[in-house]
Amino acid sequence: MEHSFSDMLALLKQLIATPSVTRQEQEVSAIMKADMVRHGYTPKEIGLNLLLYGHSYDPAKPTLLLNSHMDTVKPVAGWTKDPFTPTVEDGKLYGLGSNDDGAGLVSLLYTFYQLDSKPQAYNPIFLATVEEEVNGTGGMKLAVNELPKIDVALIGEPTGMQPAVAEKGLMVLDFTVHGKAGHAARNEGINALYRAMDVIAMLRDFKFTEQSDLLGPVKMTVTMINAGTQHNVIPDTCTFTADIRSNEFYSNHRIFDMISAALPEWCEIKARSFNLNSSRIDVNHPLIRKAAGMGMVPYGSPTLSDQAILDCPSFKLGPGQSSRSHTADEYVTLDELEQAVPVYLDLLDGMEL
């Protein structure tokens, strides 16, 4: 079945019209499955994730994974349109998930159909995932256990069809600072809030010396704090949270160890997860060299995606712009959507991995 822009646009509109906030993806997963079946495929269902193998899959060949996600964030305040009503105005398709990640999702799916319609030197496979927006256990973390060996992965996030060859990692740290309670009217106790302020000042000035040419320095930001029970009691505990975005020179374990070594004994630290490390593909990889030859400009992305969970070379490339994601009146242009599949095919069709 030939690629049809009208079919692809109709599918994207159907996805927008079907609420798919994270952990509510049952209906969109069913819609995606129906399109796959209509094109002659029977997807492997891994929870709500959908995995497609090509008709001529050969384990002896290298494998290219095409991946996008089906879930969206909740609609933010400020929408002037119904986020679940696909609306075309002035060449723009508005709707929640139109840009992140509906355009990439349908574009890569229809790219897969085209790639699999003729012999390739590699196996194209396609994976539509859920729970990407919250890094949930039912999404890529579940699906990755069912994947064959992947030689390279292309993630269809909105990048303006420029290859994001590096991606910052994420680690969230929770701190607990201990003091001693006392009456605020007397010079009693040890104020855990004041102690926490000293630790926060240390973290604000903490230096990570190794900077990435694509991702810049590690960025650590304290984002939440809580202390005290009432106005006249010296707080004996203060908790706060830090958001850390790493580059490829620092694993999350290394960052955790560095910070732990700098803390006083009255401050505890816990990491919510160590899994989301920074990722990067060699700029000399054949796909990146070909992309550059097509006029694309490799860059580093500050946002996280499912590629952080994959253990293979990977990069992001997709229609739309990251700056539109998670915003009111989210949109993708019809031109961006229509041009995506031809660009993907120019890059991937006939490629030697």
Side-chain angles (χ1 to χ4, degrees):
M1 185 177 294
E2 286 297 315
H3 161 66
S4 166
F5 175 68
S6 60
D7 287 346
M8 193 169 72
L9 179 60
L11 175 59
L12 179 52
K13 287 181 176 180
Q14 190 178 8
L15 295 175
I16 292 170
T18 307
S20 55
V21 174
T22 303
R23 299 196 175 97
Q24 299 174 23
E25 304 101 327
Q26 292 87 347
E27 289 188 52
V28 291
S29 182
I31 290 170
M32 289 290 291
K33 179 183 176 182
D35 195 86
M36 296 169 181
V37 170
R38 184 170 68 87
H39 282 81
Y41 293 89
T42 301
K44 181 177 183 179
E45 298 177 63
I46 311 168
L48 292 177
N49 306 290
L50 301 172
L51 176 61
L52 284 184
Y53 285 86
H55 291 310
S56 301
Y57 178 81
D58 180 356
K61 292 181 179 179
T63 296
L64 166 69
L65 171 66
L66 307 176
N67 164 245
S68 291
H69 65 90
M70 297 183 279
D71 60 318
T72 72
V73 295
K74 295 179 181 179
V76 298
W79 275 84
T80 64
K81 309 174 188 299
D82 181 352
F84 301 111
T85 299
T87 305
V88 176
E89 292 181 4
D90 300 323
K92 299 174 181 177
L93 173 60
Y94 292 90
L96 182 64
S98 57
N99 179 79
D100 183 16
D101 194 24
L105 181 68
V106 300
S107 297
L108 275 187
L109 176 61
Y110 276 68
T111 297
F112 169 83
Y113 293 153
Q114 292 283 83
L115 290 174
D116 192 47
S117 68
K118 63 178 73 172
Q120 302 290 345
Y122 60 88
N123 298 306
I125 65 173
F126 174 83
L127 175 66
T129 48
V130 297
E131 298 188 16
E132 189 271 350
E133 294 291 1
V134 298
N135 185 35
T137 56
M140 180 64 84
K141 288 181 178 177
L142 176 66
V144 72
N145 299 311
E146 303 291 329
L147 295 178
K149 179 183 180 299
I150 305 298
D151 293 272
V152 62
L154 191 162
I155 313 298
E157 290 281 334
T159 69
M161 291 308 286
Q162 303 297 325
V165 297
E167 177 181 273
K168 279 201 168 183
L170 168 66
M171 180 169 57
V172 179
L173 296 179
D174 292 311
F175 296 80
T176 301
V177 174
H178 298 283
K180 182 179 179 181
H183 199 298
R186 297 190 293 269
N187 189 24
E188 295 177 344
I190 300 172
N191 195 317
L193 180 53
Y194 289 164
R195 279 184 162 181
M197 291 169 62
D198 291 337
V199 176
I200 291 170
M202 182 271 291
L203 296 176
R204 180 192 60 202
D205 299 330
F206 201 94
K207 300 299 182 186
F208 296 94
T209 57
E210 297 180 74
Q211 297 198 25
S212 166
D213 55 341
L214 289 168
L215 297 175
V218 174
K219 182 173 178 56
M220 177 162 52
T221 309
V222 174
T223 54
M224 300 169 64
I225 188 168
N226 185 65
T229 57
Q230 58 191 62
H231 75 90
N232 57 354
V233 177
I234 299 296
D236 61 355
T237 303
C238 179
T239 61
F240 64 90
T241 299
D243 176 286
I244 302 176
R245 307 289 171 148
S246 56
N247 62 29
E248 71 271 28
F249 296 118
Y250 294 89
S251 69
N252 286 336
H253 278 289
R254 182 185 176 192
I255 292 173
F256 182 87
D257 290 343
M258 292 173 66
I259 295 172
S260 296
L263 294 176
E265 61 181 8
W266 36 259
C267 182
E268 300 175 27
I269 180 176
K270 291 183 179 179
R272 296 185 186 179
S273 170
F274 291 100
N275 295 333
L276 303 177
N277 289 290
S278 175
S279 56
R280 183 168 183 168
I281 190 172
D282 191 331
V283 293
N284 289 315
H285 189 281
L287 281 176
I288 305 305
R289 288 204 313 269
K290 185 173 180 181
M294 294 168 57
M296 300 183 198
V297 180
Y299 75 101
S301 170
T303 58
L304 200 68
S305 74
D306 271 340
Q307 76 180 77
I309 303 168
L310 295 171
D311 185 22
C312 65
S314 59
F315 66 105
K316 294 188 291 195
L317 180 70
Q321 296 290 343
S322 180
S323 58
R324 300 181 204 145
S325 302
H326 306 181
T327 63
D329 294 341
E330 177 186 351
Y331 70 89
V332 65
T333 72
L334 297 182
D335 284 346
E336 289 170 333
L337 186 63
E338 187 168 16
Q339 294 165 11
V341 172
V343 172
Y344 281 140
L345 291 175
D346 284 348
L347 176 64
L348 301 173
D349 192 14
M351 185 67 191
E352 297 277 348
L353 298 184

